[in-house]
Amino acid sequence: MLTIKDLKASINGKEILKGINLQVNPGEVHAIMGPNGSGKSTLASVLTGRDYAEVTHGKVSFLGEDLLDMVPEDRARKGIFLSFQYPVEIPGVSMVNFLKTAINEHRKFKGLPALSASEFLKLMREKKEIVEISSNLTNRAVNEGFSGGEKKKNEIFQMALLEPKLSILDETDSGLDIDALRICANGVNKLKTAENATIVITHYQRLLDYIVPDFVHVLMNGQIVKSGTKELAYELEEKGYDWIKKEVFGTEDAQ
Amino acid sequence: MDNTNIYTALYQENKELLQSLSPDFLVKLREDAMQHFIQKGFPGKKDESYKYTYLEPYFNNGYNKYLSPKNIQFDVNEIFHCDVPKLDTHVILLVNGFYFDAANPLKTLPGDVIVGSFAQAVKEYPELVAKYLGKYTSGDSFVALNTAFSRDGIFLYVPKGKVVEKPIQVINVLISDEELMVQHRNLVILEPNSQARVVVCDHTLSPNKFLTNAVTEVYLGENATFDHFKVQNEHNDSVQVSHTYFYQDKASSLRTSTITLHGGLVRNNLNIKLDGEGAECHAFGLFVTDQAQHVDNSVFVDHAKPNCTSNQLFKGILDDQSNGAFAGRILVDRDSQKTAAYQRNSNILLSDEAKMDSKPQLEIYADDVKCSHGATVGQLDEDALFYLRARGISEREAKLMLMYAFAYEIIDEIKIEPLHVRMADLIERRLRGDLTRCNNCAVNCG
């Protein structure tokens, strides 16, 4: 589904991603873990088309097409979804208008007619249950005045509405209490099928108790330095990242 | 000929006409205004209050200047299609600055409310007009010019304690087969405890060049309430200079919004004098410009008495090579304690060539006041734009959503519901670049 080959990217001339290789197949859940500053969020940005990181080398193909050639909205329409680490508040844009526009842009792309008002409301009701999001949130402006937990639930709610093929969850657990974390994770699990895939980007192992990965990759200093199964996440939780630094770089100072 | 001399000559030529139709007080007002204008001349390029908009070159000989209405043939029904749907109003039509319904120059509405032609009011109620006209206008040269030459406009009188239930809708139509200068004068008098709402729409119905120099004076008596809403939608070959003066007595309450959609050059002077304790005013403005448009809002709020509140919010969205300016002056007199005065000016530049000047100016001589001001000029929020695009919304649609959201803060302040809906729609279509002419109108006003 997604193939990343020797991907390098820079921000303001500084190389952040230094040759990433990753293969994600339908039905798989991949966790990407790593210390702060290792390039996790930059990878999410490059995959979704945020333009502050400049790709200098490598290829990314998604469903057989060159992903890096596409504008962000086309990537989204083809099935890539980013759950933002910091969902943006947009005063003046109502949730309803935002969601309706997004859904209908996806439908238009697939050659489907726009949803009628009642079809849209029905769909909203149905999907709201997945993340236990309350109706008064969907009557507000996008993320405006939402708590940290509400913002993250809103991300998963949008994921449920847009039914992506590949979801990238960027630090979905940050700023969440345990109940909100469980609700978000349950939502993600309910949306899992044999056809779609998930990349979970996280600092801690905590989230992986709920969203169980098939593969765990450790991103460090712009490269995937170690890959394994979920046991690797437990090992990291227990021992931190320093032992990997030592193993890979021969020193605890990765830089 | 020097531009000032054009008007001196015009005044001399028409002195007899102007005086024959004016009671003594008005003859004197005109004379004084003309003297003032001759002395002062047009504001120069370096004049501080007109530093962003140099107007003199437009006040040249190129426009025809009629001091009596010319018979214009057009279909009135066409204009009334331009009505805001579902808005139940008393409609008044001004054509080229003259009251249109010559058969009924003054109407009496329920509650002895008088509405109609300013010229007719001068004739029928000279004492009433004399008591208010020009009492609080400033020494602005353009206002003096208007006082000297204006013949007609709108007159509204609301007696003590009366409430005009339906909004009064003034449609200013410019239509001509030649280039035309128009100067009309509007006078609104709200006696104590009265209430009224006025909606003003400016339209051009022919493609000729127009120059408007209009003055509106509104007097709010003690505890009076006035809602004023103006939408400027002239074509881009028109120049409009508009001066609005609000005088507010004790505990009176004012809301005024000016929305500028089209118009080549627009200069709005808004003057509010809070001259009675407990008075409050809310002034809003929004403009959307593109191509070579130029819109300049200049606001002066004078806190002349204690315990008054003023709130200004002005916004602009500028594209292409368009220019905008905002100058907001707040004056708090020495004895005006417990004043609350707020001002905010926010602007979005959509292109590299668009330009915005913003000048807040606070002069505070009292020591127990709450005042704030802020001005921003920026671009659309990149994070918000990416968030929308990451959900599959096209860049163009995402930008429109953000621009609309930016404008919505002003639209949200329109409290007349059908007008709110209508303006929301007009703004959206303006941002989309569709013509903002009214749905059913056969004439292309855009």
Side-chain angles (χ1 to χ4, degrees):
Chain A
M1 177 183 275
L2 180 79
T3 309
I4 303 176
K5 273 190 189 148
D6 201 19
L7 179 69
K8 294 179 185 174
S10 309
I11 296 176
N12 296 328
K14 185 170 189 274
E15 191 165 71
I16 307 292
L17 300 181
K18 301 174 180 173
I20 303 262
N21 291 290
L22 185 67
Q23 171 73 36
V24 178
N25 299 310
E28 293 176 352
V29 176
H30 290 248
I32 295 179
M33 301 183 73
N36 286 331
S38 58
K40 301 191 299 289
S41 285
T42 302
L43 178 61
S45 297
V46 168
L47 294 179
T48 50
R50 184 76 209 243
D51 55 9
Y52 62 76
E54 190 200 348
V55 175
T56 54
H57 186 262
K59 270 188 183 164
V60 180
S61 77
F62 177 64
L63 300 171
E65 287 184 81
D66 182 356
L67 187 70
L68 300 177
D69 247 9
M70 293 178 210
V71 292
E73 51 269 38
D74 280 342
R75 300 182 196 201
R77 292 164 187 168
K78 285 186 194 286
I80 289 191
F81 180 89
L82 172 66
S83 170
F84 283 69
Q85 182 177 6
Y86 303 108
V88 185
E89 296 196 13
I90 314 180
V93 175
S94 73
M95 279 292 294
V96 170
N97 185 28
F98 162 61
L99 296 172
K100 205 172 174 177
T101 308
I103 286 170
N104 285 333
E105 292 252 16
H106 275 79
R107 290 181 64 88
K108 195 165 93 188
F109 185 76
K110 288 178 189 146
L112 297 169
L115 287 182
S116 70
S118 66
E119 287 168 330
F120 173 69
L121 288 175
K122 188 168 164 258
L123 182 69
M124 290 256 286
R125 258 201 313 275
E126 211 177 283
K127 302 292 184 183
K128 267 180 200 169
E129 286 170 19
I130 292 177
V131 282
E132 302 167 36
I133 197 165
S134 73
S135 289
N136 68 34
L137 289 185
T138 52
N139 289 333
R140 304 224 300 250
V142 177
N143 291 319
E144 193 184 28
F146 286 28
S147 70
E150 286 166 344
K151 280 181 183 164
K152 294 296 171 75
K153 276 196 218 173
N154 191 22
E155 295 294 291
I156 308 304
F157 175 52
Q158 291 168 46
M159 178 175 154
L161 283 168
L162 298 174
E163 298 178 336
K165 295 193 177 75
L166 174 67
S167 301
I168 302 164
L169 311 180
D170 189 6
E171 307 271 4
T172 292
D173 49 339
S174 70
L176 283 192
D177 61 44
I178 197 73
D179 291 327
L181 178 71
R182 193 182 298 124
I183 290 168
C184 283
N186 283 344
V188 172
N189 290 332
K190 279 183 211 165
L191 296 170
K192 192 176 177 237
T193 69
E195 281 78 47
N196 63 24
T198 310
I199 296 176
V200 185
I201 293 175
T202 182
H203 195 96
Y204 303 105
Q205 177 269 337
R206 186 173 76 148
L207 179 63
L208 304 179
D209 282 342
Y210 298 95
I211 303 172
V212 181
D214 300 303
F215 303 96
V216 174
H217 311 278
V218 179
L219 185 64
M220 207 172 268
N221 196 23
Q223 283 180 309
I224 289 176
V225 294
K226 200 172 178 67
S227 293
T229 54
K230 64 180 178 194
E231 280 71 29
L232 178 57
Y234 289 116
E235 209 173 344
L236 287 169
E237 181 72 6
E238 202 181 307
K239 303 201 279 190
Y241 288 102
D242 288 348
W243 65 276
I244 298 189
K245 283 181 198 166
K246 225 171 191 168
E247 192 181 301
V248 177
F249 301 102
T251 162
E252 287 186 14
D253 179 14
Q255 301 305 312
Chain B
M1 201 188 312
D2 174 271
N3 286 334
T4 307
N5 292 339
I6 294 172
Y7 294 91
T8 317
L10 187 71
Y11 189 74
Q12 290 308 326
E13 279 163 38
N14 292 282
K15 206 166 174 173
E16 216 167 290
L17 170 78
L18 286 166
Q19 298 198 344
S20 70
L21 294 160
S22 305
D24 289 350
F25 84 91
L26 191 51
V27 170
K28 186 169 185 320
L29 272 183
R30 291 195 198 282
E31 280 289 318
D32 291 351
M34 201 58 214
Q35 285 312 315
H36 179 77
F37 174 72
I38 291 167
Q39 258 181 19
K40 217 178 162 190
F42 285 103
K45 267 187 181 164
K46 289 186 177 158
D47 189 298
E48 190 59 28
S49 49
Y50 283 92
K51 72 188 278 194
Y52 304 117
T53 307
Y54 180 46
L55 285 163
E56 179 175 351
Y58 298 98
F59 284 73
N60 58 20
N61 242 338
Y63 298 90
N64 289 287
K65 302 164 180 72
Y66 297 111
L67 301 184
S68 300
K70 266 191 90 188
N71 196 17
I72 306 275
Q73 294 300 321
F74 67 96
D75 184 1
V76 178
N77 291 323
E78 225 165 50
I79 289 157
F80 287 99
H81 275 302
C82 279
D83 206 343
V84 178
K86 291 183 221 144
L87 183 57
D88 188 12
T89 57
H90 303 289
V91 178
I92 294 175
L93 186 56
L94 278 188
V95 178
N96 298 336
F98 291 93
Y99 190 78
F100 184 70
D101 189 3
N104 292 298
L106 276 181
K107 284 186 252 187
T108 306
L109 304 178
D112 295 323
V113 171
I114 304 165
V115 61
S117 151
F118 172 75
Q120 188 67 19
V122 168
K123 251 192 252 174
E124 282 187 41
Y125 306 101
E127 283 172 11
L128 185 59
V129 174
K131 192 177 161 193
Y132 293 97
L133 190 71
K135 284 296 182 242
Y136 290 99
T137 52
S138 56
D140 186 292
S141 294
F142 299 104
V143 174
L145 206 57
N146 178 287
T147 305
F149 291 100
S150 59
R151 292 275 325 279
D152 205 356
I154 300 298
F155 176 79
L156 170 64
Y157 176 79
V158 189
K160 235 181 203 171
K162 300 298 182 201
V163 176
V164 189
E165 292 289 345
K166 286 189 200 176
I168 291 166
Q169 187 173 15
V170 179
I171 303 178
N172 277 320
V173 165
L174 296 176
I175 181 166
S176 171
D177 50 13
E178 53 195 355
E179 294 178 355
L180 191 66
M181 176 179 183
V182 168
Q183 305 200 66
H184 52 280
R185 185 83 169 208
N186 306 311
L187 179 62
V188 175
I189 302 161
L190 294 134
E191 294 282 15
N193 297 306
S194 68
Q195 293 180 25
R197 295 178 290 173
V198 171
V199 177
V200 184
C201 312
D202 295 339
H203 292 284
T204 38
L205 295 192
S206 63
N208 311 72
K209 286 186 178 176
F210 292 101
L211 170 65
T212 302
N213 179 39
V215 176
T216 302
E217 294 175 67
V218 181
Y219 293 87
L220 287 86
E222 192 174 331
N223 211 30
T225 302
F226 190 57
D227 246 336
H228 175 250
F229 180 85
K230 186 173 166 74
V231 51
Q232 299 176 310
N233 205 7
E234 296 182 354
H235 64 52
N236 285 358
D237 264 338
S238 64
V239 175
Q240 181 178 153
V241 190
S242 100
H243 317 262
T244 312
Y245 292 88
F246 293 102
Y247 175 87
Q248 294 190 242
D249 207 335
K250 266 186 214 164
S252 61
S253 169
L254 166 72
R255 295 177 71 83
T256 175
S257 304
T258 305
I259 293 189
T260 313
L261 298 175
H262 285 105
L265 188 153
V266 179
R267 162 69 182 230
N268 295 313
N269 288 336
L270 178 61
N271 292 270
I272 300 169
K273 188 177 177 83
L274 297 160
D275 205 19
E277 283 203 42
E280 75 170 65
C281 68
H282 300 271
F284 305 102
L286 170 69
F287 64 78
V288 181
T289 57
D290 58 9
Q291 300 170 51
Q293 276 185 273
H294 177 100
V295 178
D296 179 355
N297 284 311
S298 177
V299 184
F300 174 42
V301 177
D302 181 2
H303 281 263
K305 291 278 156 52
N307 288 309
C308 292
T309 302
S310 70
N311 177 27
Q312 300 171 47
L313 176 60
F314 282 77
K315 289 190 159 189
I317 300 175
L318 301 96
D319 202 355
D320 300 338
Q321 304 83 40
S322 62
N323 274 277
F326 172 80
R329 185 172 157 225
I330 299 172
L331 171 65
V332 181
D333 292 4
R334 201 162 47 156
D335 297 326
S336 298
Q337 302 296 359
K338 307 283 179 194
T339 286
Y342 308 104
Q343 179 191 88
R344 192 150 60 88
N345 175 233
S346 308
N347 306 283
I348 288 180
L349 301 180
L350 299 174
S351 79
D352 292 341
E353 295 145 295
K355 183 169 177 271
M356 179 72 203
D357 288 294
S358 183
K359 188 178 75 167
Q361 207 184 337
L362 272 67
E363 284 175 53
I364 301 168
Y365 299 103
D367 50 21
D368 184 13
V369 301
K370 264 191 256 174
C371 292
S372 72
H373 68 93
T376 58
V377 179
Q379 278 90 40
L380 290 174
D381 180 350
E382 287 291 328
D383 290 331
L385 194 58
F386 180 71
Y387 189 79
L388 296 174
R389 293 179 73 190
R391 295 298 178 253
I393 298 170
S394 69
E395 185 176 9
R396 177 179 147 79
E397 199 62 35
K399 281 183 174 172
L400 282 168
M401 286 173 94
L402 295 179
M403 284 190 271
Y404 183 77
F406 177 78
Y408 190 76
E409 203 182 351
I410 303 289
I411 300 167
D412 199 34
E413 294 292 345
I414 304 169
K415 303 300 179 194
I416 304 169
E417 191 50 32
L419 188 62
H420 178 115
V421 173
R422 182 83 181 110
M423 282 322 297
D425 179 52
L426 276 182
I427 292 287
E428 198 191 335
R429 288 199 287 144
R430 175 68 182 91
L431 291 170
R432 280 183 187 281
D434 300 345
L435 285 177
T436 54
R437 66 197 165 95
C438 311
N439 284 325
N440 305 320
C441 188
V443 183
N444 184 346
C445 318

